Amino acid sequence: MHSRTDILARFRSQVAAGVPIVGGGAGTGLSAKCAEAGGIDLIIIYNSGRFRMAGRGSLAGLLPYGDANQIVMDMAREVLPVVQRTPVLAGVCGTDPFRVMKRFLLDVKDAGFSGVQNFPTVGLFDGTFRVGLEETGMGYGLEVDMIRVARDLDLLTCPYVFTPDEAIAMTKAGADVLIPHMGLTTKGAIGAKTALSLEESAKRVQELADAAKSVNPDVLVLCHGGPISEPEDVRYILDHTKGIAGFFGASSIERLPTEVAITGCVKQFKELKLC
């Protein structure tokens, strides 16, 4: 484990030096190992990583295809032992009705995680279904409560937020690193086709960052999701916003690079000629 204090001190020093914070999801031990070799600052394990690297869309992690919190603890046995220097966060389903959340967060900490993120998150649901979740006691407020408890346990907290009100609530709960979520990542074989534009994303990221900083000017904010899928996309967001400290990628860090590398490698083998 890495202490929350040490992680934040390093991040603030890094940002002051003009170096962005980069976090990434890891659905396999190899993904985590390669991300660390590339110099990643944070690794996050959550159930969508397993589905994504199995060739399914990341939103599979929000559907009833498995016990999200148990999947993360199972994945920890694969990922944590191969990560040598990098803080690893657990994606925690804060709305899980079958766990005493403080007890589960203690298990997360005991397993060797340095922090948490709220995933799966009901923030990705909208419309009548989202209203139903909120009205029946499975709303986003439980995720805010989870982040508050994790902060009390001195775990690093890096929640996804989707609206200014959520950004304010998570910051008041003690979030260390806020991640405005722009939706399902585009591009690649199983990426979304419908998304905000980069221009719209920059405006929304700034809006959520401003809301959070109205509560705590020192909160760190990273961008994530939607059309922000490649380094040049992140460059656009950083150039068109103020006070954004970096990027968190999931599909961008492991799925898209894997698709490109394996496809390209096989094509090169197929281009060989028999003598």
Side-chain angles (χ1 to χ4, degrees):
M1 281 187 62
H2 300 253
S3 77
R4 172 179 166 273
T5 301
D6 289 347
I7 297 170
L8 289 173
R10 177 164 58 84
F11 283 177
R12 297 192 189 285
S13 175
Q14 187 172 313
V15 171
V19 179
I21 300 165
V22 177
T28 68
L30 182 59
S31 296
K33 202 176 187 72
C34 292
E36 184 171 61
I40 204 162
D41 298 301
L42 275 177
I43 292 172
I44 298 90
I45 302 175
Y46 48 89
N47 71 327
S48 272
R50 173 168 288 181
F51 292 116
R52 179 168 50 245
M53 297 310 284
R56 275 69 177 180
S58 296
L59 290 183
L62 278 75
L63 294 173
Y65 303 149
D67 179 342
N69 285 328
Q70 187 57 52
I71 288 172
V72 167
M73 297 303 279
D74 292 343
M75 292 169 69
R77 298 173 59 250
E78 177 179 347
V79 174
L80 288 174
V82 302
V83 177
Q84 302 298 312
R85 304 174 302 278
T86 310
V88 180
L89 274 57
V92 174
C93 180
T95 58
D96 187 341
F98 298 103
R99 281 177 172 79
V100 176
M101 193 47 60
K102 184 174 182 178
R103 178 65 261 168
F104 180 66
L105 290 174
L106 287 169
D107 292 341
V108 165
K109 191 171 186 177
D110 288 344
F113 287 102
S114 299
V116 298
Q117 185 175 57
N118 58 323
F119 194 92
T121 170
V122 301
L124 282 166
F125 291 111
D126 55 16
T128 303
F129 187 67
R130 172 65 181 275
V131 172
L133 290 172
E134 296 288 344
E135 291 178 348
T136 55
M138 293 176 279
Y140 189 85
L142 292 178
E143 298 178 27
V144 176
D145 293 342
M146 183 273 289
I147 291 297
R148 184 179 294 109
V149 173
R151 173 64 186 272
D152 290 343
L153 295 175
D154 206 31
L155 287 160
L156 187 76
T157 52
C158 305
Y160 282 134
V161 294
F162 302 83
T163 69
D165 286 345
E166 291 170 358
I168 289 171
M170 282 296 192
T171 307
K172 287 182 177 179
D176 298 306
V177 182
L178 217 65
I179 305 176
H181 197 306
M182 296 300 106
L184 188 63
T185 302
T186 61
K187 301 180 182 176
I190 52 174
K193 302 297 186 291
T194 303
L196 299 171
S197 68
L198 277 173
E199 181 180 6
E200 291 169 331
S201 294
K203 291 178 180 177
R204 185 172 293 186
V205 167
Q206 189 69 68
E207 179 185 22
L208 299 186
D210 290 345
K213 289 175 183 290
S214 72
V215 176
N216 177 11
D218 294 326
V219 68
L220 295 166
V221 181
L222 313 184
C223 58
H224 169 78
I228 316 170
S229 57
E230 296 181 351
E232 58 266 29
D233 303 325
V234 178
R235 179 75 273 161
Y236 179 92
I237 298 297
L238 296 178
D239 286 346
H240 291 81
T241 55
K242 182 179 180 182
I244 305 305
F247 169 70
F248 169 69
S251 292
S252 302
I253 295 293
E254 63 172 355
R255 174 178 66 79
L256 291 174
T258 300
E259 289 181 24
V260 172
I262 294 178
T263 302
C265 179
V266 172
K267 285 182 177 178
Q268 290 182 50
F269 279 116
K270 288 296 293 180
E271 289 169 357
L272 298 172
K273 302 297 182 184
L274 298 176
C275 298

